[in-house]
Amino acid sequence: MIKQTRYHQSELAVIGAGIAGCAATIFAQARGIKTTQIGNTGALAYTSGVFDLLGVADGKHLKDPWQGLTKLRELEPNHPYAKLSNKEIRSAFDEFTSTVADMGLNYTAPGDENHLALLPAGATKPTYSMPLTMRKITQAIAEKARVLIVDFAGLQGFSANEIVANLSEQWPELRSTRIEFPEMDSNAQLFPEVMARALEVEATREQFSKLIKDVAGDAQYIAIPAILGIHRPDRIHKHIEKLVRLPIFEIPTIPPAVAGIRLRELFEQQLSERGATVIAQQTVREVSFSEEGIKLHLKDSYGPVEVNSDKLLLASGRFLSRGLLADQQQVREALLGLPLQQPEGREAWFSDDYFDPKGHAVNRAGVLVNESFQPIDENNQVVDDRLYAAGIILANQDWIRQRCGAGLAIATAYRAINAIVASR
Amino acid sequence: MGQHKQQLETEVLVIGGGVTGTGIMRDLALRGINSVLIDVKDLNAGASGGNHGLLHSGGRYVASDAETAAECRIEGDILKIIASKAIDPCGGIFAAVEGDDPDFASQFPEYCKRAGISCKELTVKQARELEPCLSEKTIAAFQVPDASVDPFHLTLSNVQQAQEVSDSDYLPHTQITGFDIIDGEVKAAICHDSRANAEVRISAKQFINASGAWSKHVAELAGCADISLLYSKGTLIISNSRVNRGVINRLRLPGDGDILVPGGTVSLLGTTSDNVTSLENIKPTVSEVDRILAEGAAMIPSLQSTRFIRAFAGVRPLLMASDAVADGRNASRGFTIYDHEEQGLSNFATVAGGKLTTFRLMAEKTGDLIAKRLGNTNPSHSATTELPSHEGVRWTEPGYSASYWFKRKDPTDLILCECEMVPQSAVHEIIEQAPGAEEEMTLKAIGMRSRIGKGTCQGAFCSMRVTSELYDKNIYNNTDGLQHMRSFIEERYKGIRPILWGEQMPQMELAETMHCGLMGLDLFDDDKAVEVVEKS
């Protein structure tokens, strides 16, 4: 059988299925831009599921991200956030979270401050927006309430003891306990994803809730690892709270984490239902720019695919998602060979100290862009006026240390899409 | 917390927990002499824990140091019999490539013959059949009886045997701060136990200094100024998978990146030889790694595209004759025993220099001196007595964990380290059986006794899982666990930084995401680990 090439035509092609790529597709759809999105969502499944705007400055937790952003623009004038106003970032975030809620996954409404999210080993981080299934931590912390953290026999990497041990000095009312998950061989290894899918079954929820009620004692809140379903976590959350008769919140787990899987599946299903062409879990092999347009070549299991597009948005991420590659001497942008800002020579890439408060210089390497988020070269010339870039592939930011990954992805995608609209 | 003074008494105090110190402990025990072995840190904290793992046939020294070459041959043969479980008798090849001195190659068999080392000439075709990774530009090749050895296996087994056949003991985290000397006789060593934060006084009849690169410092504490050492730093890099069947040596005068040694499921490429004056802050650098790789690739081109997962550096304490020029490559690899009699001491000795391969001989000669001084007439039995493997040592053997777990077929035994397939039960066993009775089992101590942290992820994932496990078992009940995880990761990083390129970049990004983003370790400080009270 000869494999026939399938052709797609769109106004915009988005490369990348992480938060930036998905945000770009969402914004494009809302503005009536016919979009094809291509990408592999590896990294999304590793995230904790919360949306950070700006969590850390000067090695300390930030309570007010907006003030933090204002300061950041002064201190780091080349930071991607410096091209955007607080108002614009806020609009971007609002539009993104309300669309995600529309799609079926509810997050806390973005406001004026960060709130502390609890992390798998008992550390905390200030974040801007959390899934509703996690949000009652905020109230529980404020009340220093009696919280019972429940973990499960066989679920490795999540230890209620560990979380309590690390927080108890400041939060003495925390307790831990372990139960068995219903209908699973409690001696074998459990995975959050499997438990989450099991809780999509009503009967399992009923058994689960009973087991929790039995150990709840005088707890005011129950905390569990993030396992409240994949598809309709808010509904599952409400049902279980009703049965247990106590407020419940999820705590993120180490990868592969359900909260990230929820986002990935949500985007994969919903973006195409809303009219985008989504070519999931594939890698673009080659891109060519000509007067007629931009051609992307890739393959899926049925054979070759060619996407023809007027505009291209590159949101392919960094090393983990293979948006960037490195040999012994230098870093390269993987797909188009775009000029990159980077430290001179490998000796300068990484600090001597892993936890250097300044972070590692190579993490700030990346694509340079103009105000419209079009990639530019060392002479400030636009590489191609049909090409845009967004997300953590951009230079001059350190998303891991600054805790700004989601905000950066959403806000830069927002500006890029608006620039595309303006250029039509 | 007050400072208690602990008093111990033994026949011999051995200072230094590397292969030499533990070898001496064993040699003495086999003569019926009890000893206490101490180390500032833990076993193999010095050169014994940072070397190539090569059991030399002696071929490397035939041209420059015939005495050492012969010693290597003899000792290698002995160890292959008595410590067979610690050794992979994989054999070795010396190969020259285009550009290497053809005269050196043609003289090689004669040099080997003089040192009694078996050396078989191979055609280039034969050599490349034996080792397909050898360059097409190979011009000469010889086969020699090199082997690879696991130094931790040796050290641990030395200690175990000594403890079994005598009343000997090993105390880690015990540092010499001074000696009590009266009339030319050392009465006791004054030490500091860094875990208990207490002073320990160890009285003994004889004192032996086998502290490797620190032996000059220790001897000076006893008032002896007769030791002259050259510190030669060597860096090595470890590949993700095994590249060669047996050892491959460059057939030329010793230089950088000359040797590729197989070590179970990986290969080790090295090394360098750069003089250093301080023993502090020894770590592999980007330029050393690049140098090693460039040289190694001339002999084995596939190394350019091999994935390396770790680099490490160690310091060779080499003997320097007082009038010698300081040159690490040409310094003697032989050893010397200083009896310090000229320094006015009658019961203190230092053994310095030498090689991993000849540790048993060093221990025997040292044992001879000590036995004589004690009036003990038993000869050494170390060459003819089998050295059984320490029970717990199996966890350090690459691949062992995986086959153990698979055979057990126990689904309750969760895998904590997925790169190396190390299950929970292994970690529990290690915690219970650690030699030296660790009060606090850190990730570092577990990592040393197993393959945890040694696989592809270099501890990024398993450190989180093992730490959770230790909290679960109530071995940690406060922020110390996260603190130790942070130190473990910082330590591993020293070896990861110089090999970060290619496929290691995604690994590093994931690791940093988890350690900072999920574990919050970059913001962790000693005073207040975790912020819960919200600041305005």
Side-chain angles (χ1 to χ4, degrees), chain B residues 19 23 26-27 74-75 78-79 82 355-365 380-384:
Chain B
V19 278
R26 174 191 181 240
D27 186 284
I74 297 167
E75 285 303 308
I78 293 171
L79 290 176
I82 64 168
K355 300 186 60 54
L356 172 66
T357 303
T358 58
F359 87 91
R360 190 219 58 87
L361 179 65
M362 293 166 71
E364 177 184 311
K365 296 294 177 198
S380 176
H381 294 286
S382 62
T384 49

Side-chain angles (χ1 to χ4, degrees), chain A residues 63 119 124 156 159 162 166-167 170 178 187 319-320 322 326 328 346-347 350-351 354 363 401 403, chain B residues 286 290 411-412 415 465 468 471-472 479 493 497-498 502-503 509 512 515-516 522 530-532 534:
Chain A
K63 180 71 183 157
L119 297 174
T124 59
Q156 320 180 21
S159 162
E162 181 174 18
N166 281 301
L167 288 174
Q170 296 170 78
R178 172 163 296 182
N187 287 322
F319 299 101
L320 190 53
R322 295 179 200 256
Q328 242 176 304
R346 196 165 99 251
E347 175 60 44
F350 289 96
S351 174
Y354 185 76
N363 289 341
R401 299 306 179 95
R403 276 83 172 164
Chain B
V286 164
D290 287 349
T412 71
I415 296 279
R465 291 214 192 100
S468 279
Y471 271 105
D472 257 5
T479 56
Y493 174 69
R497 181 184 173 269
E503 282 309 301
E509 187 176 315
E512 216 184 329
H515 297 146
C516 300
D522 61 321
V530 172
E531 264 183 64
V532 174
E534 304 215 39

Side-chain angles (χ1 to χ4, degrees), chain B residues 171-229:
Chain B
L171 302 176
H173 306 297
T174 305
Q175 176 173 18
I176 301 260
T177 54
F179 291 96
D180 211 354
I181 302 173
I182 299 175
D183 291 336
E185 197 189 339
V186 182
K187 293 293 184 196
I190 318 299
C191 312
H192 182 254
D193 176 341
S194 58
R195 272 177 318 159
N197 194 23
E199 194 181 274
V200 183
R201 188 190 153 85
I202 307 177
S203 341
K205 297 187 192 136
Q206 295 289 328
F207 296 79
I208 175 70
N209 172 19
S211 52
W214 294 268
S215 48
K216 181 171 146 80
H217 163 73
V218 171
E220 279 168 4
L221 285 177
C224 298
D226 50 342
I227 298 185
S228 218
L229 292 177

Side-chain angles (χ1 to χ4, degrees), chain A residues 310-321:
Chain A
D310 301 332
K311 302 270 171 25
L312 177 60
L313 179 82
L314 190 65
S316 45
R318 303 185 68 80
F319 299 101
L320 190 53
S321 50

Side-chain angles (χ1 to χ4, degrees), chain A residues 38-41 279-285 298-301 305:
Chain A
I38 307 142
N40 278 303
T41 3
I279 305 177
Q281 308 308 327
Q282 298 300 339
T283 312
V284 176
R285 309 213 172 254
L298 58 147
K299 293 198 279 222
D300 65 16
S301 38
V305 174

Side-chain angles (χ1 to χ4, degrees), chain A residues 46-48 56 59-61 63 114-116 119-125 138 141 144 151 154-162 165-171 178 185 187-191 252-255 318-322 326-328 331 346-355 359-360 362-363 392 398-401 403, chain B residues 283 285-287 289-290 293-294 304 410-416 418 461 464-465 467-469 471-474 476-482 485-487 489-490 493-494 497-503 505-524 527-536:
Chain A
Y46 288 117
T47 61
S48 53
V56 165
K60 297 204 208 1
H61 282 180
K63 180 71 183 157
N114 282 332
H115 293 286
L116 283 183
L119 297 174
T124 59
K125 79 163 167 180
T138 308
I141 289 180
K144 285 290 160 63
D151 74 18
L155 178 60
Q156 320 180 21
F158 188 92
S159 162
N161 275 3
E162 181 174 18
N166 281 301
L167 288 174
S168 61
E169 207 181 283
Q170 296 170 78
W171 195 350
R178 172 163 296 182
D185 182 356
N187 287 322
Q189 186 170 5
L190 290 187
F191 294 94
T253 65
I254 64 177
R318 303 185 68 80
F319 299 101
L320 190 53
S321 50
R322 295 179 200 256
D327 58 29
Q328 242 176 304
V331 180
R346 196 165 99 251
E347 175 60 44
W349 288 1
F350 289 96
S351 174
D352 273 339
D353 172 12
Y354 185 76
F355 292 114
H360 301 292
V362 75
N363 289 341
I392 58 175
D398 190 338
W399 74 275
I400 297 175
R401 299 306 179 95
R403 276 83 172 164
Chain B
K283 52 189 178 200
T285 66
V286 164
S287 74
V289 168
D290 287 349
L293 198 46
Q304 281 298 2
D410 179 359
T412 71
D413 199 3
L414 306 184
I415 296 279
L416 294 181
E418 277 177 2
F461 263 100
M464 297 190 302
R465 291 214 192 100
T467 301
S468 279
E469 178 69 9
Y471 271 105
D472 257 5
K473 292 270 162 295
N474 286 309
Y476 290 132
N477 50 25
N478 57 25
T479 56
D480 282 357
L482 287 192
M485 187 187 343
R486 185 184 153 125
S487 312
I489 290 162
E490 279 175 318
Y493 174 69
K494 290 183 190 161
R497 181 184 173 269
I499 50 84
L500 285 172
W501 76 79
E503 282 309 301
M505 297 299 274
Q507 199 80 61
M508 176 67 179
E509 187 176 315
L510 180 59
E512 216 184 329
T513 307
M514 294 191 304
H515 297 146
C516 300
L518 281 185
M519 297 284 117
L521 295 177
D522 61 321
L523 299 176
F524 202 83
D527 301 332
K528 174 193 39 66
V530 172
E531 264 183 64
V532 174
V533 175
E534 304 215 39
K535 298 209 172 79
S536 44

